[in-house]
Amino acid sequence: MKHQLIIVLDFGGQYNQLIARRVRECGVYCEVKPYTTPLDALKAQNPIGFIFTGGPNSVYDEKAPHVDPAIFALGVPVLGICYGCQLMAQTLGGQVTAAQADSAREYGKTVTYYDPDCRLFRDLPNCGVSWMSHGDYMAKVPEGFALVAHTDACPNVAIADERRGFYGVQYHPEVNHTEHGLDMIRNFLYEVCGATGDWSMGDYLKTSVAAIREKVGSGKVLLALSGGVDSSVCAALLAEAIGRQLTCVFVDHGLMRKNEGDEVEAAFAKWDLNFVRVDAETRFLIKLAGVSEPEHKRKIIGEEFIRVFEEEAKKIGAVDYLAQGTIYPDVIESGAGDAAVIKSHHNVGGLPDYVDFKEIIEPLRLLFKDEVRQLGRELGLPEYLVMRQPFPGPGLAIRVIGDLTKEKLDTLRDADAIFREEIAAAGEEKNVNQYFAVLTNTRSVGVMGDGRTYDYTLALRGVTTSDFMTADWARIPYDVLDKVSTRIVNEVKGINRIVYDITSKPPATIEWE
């Protein structure tokens, strides 16, 4: 790709992906690299700037991660954040020590005062709240650096060598808690690094289509389509590029939400590709009969999906490429170089041995989730698919507590559809990041008309979150919940009681199983 590049050097910070996302939000392409990447490899990519991330270490510890000092002689601007700031200070002749007083340690929201003459803070207010997370202190600032931000407790919250384009901040401008943090990052990119803003999904679409056509040539590509955002956008991008050279196998296991299988199939009607929809509901339900333990359900579904896909792949025969919807967070979280592995992803590093193919192709490998959604819009995928909420791989199997039957699944599908309909009708879908229904295995006495009922309890779950690693229960208006409850007990047979889950994550998880 012929884009200007910012390299984010990762020192183990928890916000490394967020930094990269913020840079791309500003219209500048960036990549996250481990701090162990050789200097020659970094230089070869011709970056217009570096951003050093935070990290859990103290720079004065013997085993703390460091960087080749020659990076500061490349003539390329550097922004150090938290640990990155302290590393830059220590490397260039300053001194970092453990804070000797409690007042020098800063955590959380802190009122910060900025020097408006510094390019990093150009056209910004000279005071605002920043998000601190440091217990170390820059006892000595390197020669050539000026103090450009302070708090009531700390005089050197930000340092700058404007001549060389070196900046360090001890707070985190990438998080939402820091006021004008995105503007500070934008100033570094445009005012300091000279960015022109040449990164957009429209441009990425054009270059990706051309690159896929060049790579695939006259070959054949096979993709397992789950119906999720990533695999759907991957399929649409490939369909745009190579049409009938692509075969998508959509395994409909009967565990999706109401009408979802039909919606997925309809979304691809605009492209001339080989779309294979496998109706596997019966075989999945036979395998799952009598199984109530959630991990056992997951294992059965995963194994059966592989068996179905394997059977379909054998019908197709040899293909040149197996496509996967791997996205950039998968790559980062699975570790690169000496970077820590946050979690392993099934589609990073391990290739299936049951399909005869020459090579793997991952056209979304460099994109974050929000960029994948935007690319889907550029491709013309419907909004209901582009903005599809996170949905577990085992589908509704883990939203029916206990053993599975088609009757229970259909009951849950109908109730869940009503919940989603009313959330949308009330305009609450933008306020709740994920919402769904769970059919519990608890039955209770109820009264309908003059008769006694003994039916299932349905739980409703709604959460607000920015990263899905932590979540708070959503304050859905009572009148909306009331309408949902009334509709479900009147329209869905087998449910006589509705409860709303008001547990945050932690201690609970978002899903029930």
Side-chain angles (χ1 to χ4, degrees):
M1 292 183 298
K2 306 296 183 182
H3 298 287
Q4 291 181 321
L5 171 68
I6 293 289
I7 292 179
V8 177
L9 274 190
D10 177 19
F11 293 92
Q14 60 179 316
Y15 301 128
N16 55 1
Q17 288 190 40
L18 187 53
I19 295 170
R21 285 175 57 196
R22 294 291 182 254
V23 173
R24 293 192 186 182
E25 284 175 22
C26 293
V28 182
Y29 180 67
C30 75
E31 292 184 7
V32 179
K33 299 290 184 182
Y35 73 92
T36 52
T37 305
L39 183 62
D40 287 344
L42 297 175
K43 185 178 178 181
Q45 289 195 266
N46 194 31
I48 63 171
F50 291 100
I51 298 179
F52 295 175
T53 75
N57 302 94
S58 294
V59 296
Y60 47 78
D61 288 343
E62 185 177 338
K63 295 184 179 181
H66 288 85
V67 68
D68 187 335
I71 197 170
F72 296 105
L74 296 178
V76 177
V78 178
L79 171 62
I81 296 175
C82 200
Y83 179 88
C85 169
Q86 295 163 2
L87 175 63
M88 180 165 58
Q90 185 95 339
T91 305
L92 295 177
Q95 183 181 11
V96 177
T97 65
Q100 299 301 309
D102 290 342
S103 60
R105 301 185 185 96
E106 295 178 304
Y107 298 95
K109 295 180 180 180
T110 308
V111 176
T112 306
Y113 306 91
Y114 308 108
D115 180 354
D117 293 328
C118 174
R119 283 187 290 176
L120 200 63
F121 309 121
R122 182 165 293 172
D123 298 325
L124 302 182
N126 59 10
C127 177
V129 171
S130 64
W131 185 260
M132 298 287 186
S133 183
H134 70 94
D136 287 335
Y137 177 76
M138 287 185 289
K140 177 185 176 184
V141 174
E143 185 177 347
F145 281 78
L147 303 182
V148 292
H150 68 278
T151 66
D152 292 335
C154 183
N156 48 18
V157 165
I159 58 175
D161 182 335
E162 299 261 44
R163 183 180 62 84
R164 291 188 287 177
F166 297 160
Y167 299 82
V169 296
Q170 296 215 89
Y171 55 88
H172 289 273
E174 70 273 22
V175 303
N176 289 331
H177 300 299
T178 296
E179 294 177 339
H180 309 291
L182 182 61
D183 293 324
M184 297 173 196
I185 292 174
R186 183 179 289 109
N187 278 345
F188 174 71
L189 299 174
Y190 288 89
E191 299 289 338
V192 180
C193 299
T196 58
D198 62 357
W199 173 251
S200 71
M201 281 302 97
D203 182 53
Y204 183 81
L205 172 57
K206 294 176 184 176
T207 57
S208 293
V209 166
I212 291 168
R213 287 172 179 166
E214 181 178 355
K215 182 177 183 66
V216 173
S218 59
K220 296 181 179 179
V221 179
L222 176 64
L223 170 69
L225 177 63
S226 70
V229 177
D230 300 338
S231 70
S232 295
V233 174
C234 180
L237 178 58
L238 289 167
E240 186 78 13
I242 58 174
R244 293 196 65 80
Q245 293 169 247
L246 170 67
T247 298
C248 290
V249 176
F250 173 43
V251 178
D252 188 348
H253 46 33
L255 304 172
M256 302 183 79
R257 291 170 289 200
K258 191 171 184 178
N259 301 325
E260 206 158 38
D262 294 339
E263 290 175 351
V264 171
E265 185 172 4
F268 289 92
K270 64 175 286 190
W271 287 285
D272 183 21
L273 75 159
N274 297 306
F275 190 97
V276 180
R277 180 175 177 178
V278 185
D279 183 0
E281 179 183 45
T282 300
R283 65 184 287 176
F284 272 85
L285 288 179
I286 290 173
K287 290 284 185 179
L288 290 164
V291 178
S292 58
E293 204 280 318
E295 284 306 307
H296 194 191
K297 290 180 186 176
R298 290 176 185 271
K299 183 172 291 188
I300 289 172
I301 293 166
E303 290 177 353
E304 195 63 16
F305 183 91
I306 290 174
R307 298 287 81 80
V308 176
F309 185 63
E310 181 180 17
E311 291 170 13
E312 295 300 321
K314 285 179 178 178
K315 295 177 186 177
I316 297 167
V319 295
D320 299 282
Y321 299 93
L322 177 69
Q324 292 186 158
T326 308
I327 64 174
Y328 203 32
D330 299 340
V331 177
I332 296 173
E333 290 180 353
S334 293
D338 289 338
V341 176
I342 300 172
K343 58 181 176 179
S344 296
H345 290 262
H346 69 280
N347 52 352
V348 179
L351 304 181
D353 56 8
Y354 52 83
V355 179
D356 183 12
F357 66 96
K358 298 176 182 177
E359 193 177 342
I360 197 162
I361 184 170
E362 298 172 315
L364 308 182
R365 189 179 177 88
L366 296 176
L367 301 184
F368 288 103
K369 177 70 82 172
D370 53 339
E371 293 174 317
V372 172
R373 295 187 194 278
Q374 185 56 39
L375 179 60
R377 294 187 181 97
E378 294 283 346
L379 285 159
L381 283 172
E383 194 70 9
Y384 67 75
L385 192 56
V386 170
M387 289 306 295
R388 187 177 189 239
Q389 292 184 19
F391 191 59
L396 297 182
I398 59 168
R399 291 181 182 173
V400 172
I401 310 302
D403 64 312
L404 289 171
T405 65
K406 185 173 182 356
E407 182 182 24
K408 287 183 179 179
L409 287 165
D410 287 341
T411 296
L412 177 58
R413 264 188 277 269
D414 289 340
D416 182 76
I418 290 172
F419 187 29
R420 289 188 287 127
E421 285 171 13
E422 292 303 331
I423 288 289
E428 287 293 316
E429 71 270 27
K430 295 180 180 179
N431 300 325
V432 189
N433 300 105
Q434 189 174 358
Y435 47 94
F436 55 89
V438 176
L439 185 65
T440 76
N441 56 359
T442 299
R443 304 182 79 173
S444 64
V445 174
V447 177
M448 289 189 176
D450 294 324
R452 175 185 182 276
T453 62
Y454 188 64
D455 288 328
Y456 287 105
T457 298
L458 184 85
L460 303 178
R461 178 75 158 144
V463 299
T464 58
T465 178
S466 60
D467 55 15
F468 290 91
M469 299 185 71
T470 61
D472 193 13
W473 62 276
R475 273 61 171 178
I476 297 174
Y478 288 161
D479 59 336
V480 177
L481 291 174
D482 179 51
K483 189 171 184 180
V484 170
S485 177
T486 300
R487 280 195 61 191
I488 290 174
V489 295
N490 278 280
E491 298 176 31
V492 182
K493 185 179 179 181
I495 296 173
N496 67 356
R497 190 178 299 272
I498 312 292
V499 298
Y500 185 55
D501 183 349
I502 59 169
T503 320
S504 296
K505 175 188 179 182
T509 54
I510 295 176
E511 296 286 346
W512 275 41
E513 287 191 342

